[in-house]
Amino acid sequence: MPSIRLDIPDRPLPTMPLGLLVPIPPDTAHQRLAGTTAPNVPSLTRHRALNAEQDAFFLPGLDGAGTRFEFTLADGTGESPRAHFTPIDSRYSRPSAELKDAIAKLIKDVPNDTAAVERMVAFTASLFDYDHPPVRFCDGKDEVPLLETLTKGSCTDINTFLLSSLYAAGIPGTYYAGYFFEGGKPKSTSGFHCWISTFAEGEHLDWDIAHHIKTGTREVQPALNPTPGERVALSYARGLRFAVADLEVEFTHFAFPYWIYPDGRYEPSVAVATLS
């Protein structure tokens, strides 16, 4: 069975952190958590998100520096848990009134939810050029706005728009974040990737618009890895909230381990993920 190892570097931090929060990979259509090896540190605790069935390990202070976590994975069942498709209200996925209206018009004549998903995927793909802009299209907003012109965006931006569109249409969808290991390259990375899964007409489908755009097409098909490789989801949903050490923290997404600070800020731990 494959396993993913997360190595947390012991590096200087700007100030003393409240602690380190490490996502525990959820069971999905494509993976099932079969085993966990965590550091033998007495202060280690396990927490569940306040608004989702997402779990995480927490190590207070600097106890997480220089640690290693390893998760063994087995094949999934082909469908993600229904709980993953329960909408979670947050500014990272809450559709604006304009977006709701636009989506209603977009899918008003489709014969079923599967066709509606396909139309929303095509609409989303038509709106983005893949890039990492310094300011995201929804930064500083309490709702996800409607886009009407071509916009630069990363996988996070693209999937934010698609997830919010699915919420607007009332069609079950979820956001997965974790690591992607591209085929033919070393199976080690500190970057992350994200994608969308839908459940319409009794069928689980996966969508990776960003990888389609990066490979030069906006004709998006329901499958993972248009770019060959392997992926591991570390979390699901946007706007996960955790309570640790008497502080509640809301994450834009929980793709990798984060250092959390007493004022509520958080930053990536720059963990190195290795697939074996």
Side-chain angles (χ1 to χ4, degrees):
M1 290 186 288
S3 65
I4 185 167
R5 186 178 72 240
L6 303 179
D7 289 298
I8 315 298
D10 187 355
R11 63 184 179 89
L13 298 174
T15 187
M16 175 62 72
L18 193 65
L20 179 77
L21 197 66
V22 179
I24 298 173
D27 291 346
T28 73
H30 305 287
Q31 68 184 41
R32 178 174 56 83
L33 185 62
T36 300
T37 302
N40 185 21
V41 179
S43 60
L44 180 75
T45 52
R46 182 168 177 150
H47 298 257
R48 172 154 288 192
L50 299 174
N51 56 347
E53 294 183 1
Q54 173 68 44
D55 292 333
F57 288 120
F58 180 70
L59 283 161
L62 291 170
D63 287 0
T67 56
R68 170 179 289 180
F69 294 80
E70 188 161 0
F71 304 101
T72 302
L73 302 167
D75 291 339
T77 64
E79 291 185 4
S80 290
R82 294 292 178 270
H84 289 195
F85 297 103
T86 301
I88 294 176
D89 181 55
S90 79
R91 62 190 178 93
Y92 306 110
S93 56
R94 184 185 304 127
S96 65
E98 293 77 14
L99 180 55
K100 289 179 180 178
D101 289 344
I103 294 300
K105 293 175 183 176
L106 181 72
I107 64 173
K108 66 179 180 180
D109 61 347
V110 297
N112 53 47
D113 283 354
T114 298
V117 170
E118 292 171 350
R119 190 165 290 184
M120 284 184 281
V121 167
F123 180 56
T124 302
S126 74
L127 289 169
F128 285 94
D129 263 343
Y130 189 86
D131 201 353
H132 289 268
V135 179
R136 301 183 186 278
F137 78 95
C138 56
D139 279 354
K141 297 178 173 63
D142 291 328
E143 298 174 325
V144 178
L146 171 65
L147 295 177
E148 299 180 288
T149 58
L150 195 61
T151 302
K152 293 184 181 299
S154 66
C155 59
T156 303
D157 304 308
I158 294 166
N159 292 320
T160 291
F161 191 84
L162 178 56
L163 181 64
S164 301
S165 298
L166 291 165
Y167 279 10
I171 295 175
T174 192
Y175 172 105
Y176 289 112
Y179 294 101
F180 175 73
F181 303 91
E182 188 171 347
K185 294 185 178 181
K187 293 186 177 183
S188 185
T189 184
S190 58
F192 78 93
H193 188 49
C194 57
W195 57 97
I196 294 289
S197 295
T198 58
F199 191 78
E201 308 295 328
E203 184 179 19
H204 177 108
L205 294 174
D206 303 298
W207 306 91
D208 194 332
I209 298 174
H211 273 190
H212 279 81
I213 293 174
K214 287 178 73 176
T215 56
T217 181
R218 286 186 169 80
E219 299 297 322
V220 180
Q221 300 299 314
L224 295 177
N225 302 339
T227 301
E230 300 171 83
R231 65 186 67 204
V232 176
L234 267 285
S235 71
Y236 80 95
R238 300 294 306 277
L240 290 171
R241 291 186 290 109
F242 283 87
V244 290
D246 298 323
L247 178 72
E248 185 175 316
V249 183
E250 182 183 56
F251 294 94
T252 170
H253 58 192
F254 197 19
F256 34 48
Y258 281 107
W259 289 111
I260 300 172
Y261 293 97
D263 62 0
R265 291 181 301 110
Y266 56 88
E267 67 174 10
S269 66
V270 200
V272 176
T274 303
L275 188 68
S276 59

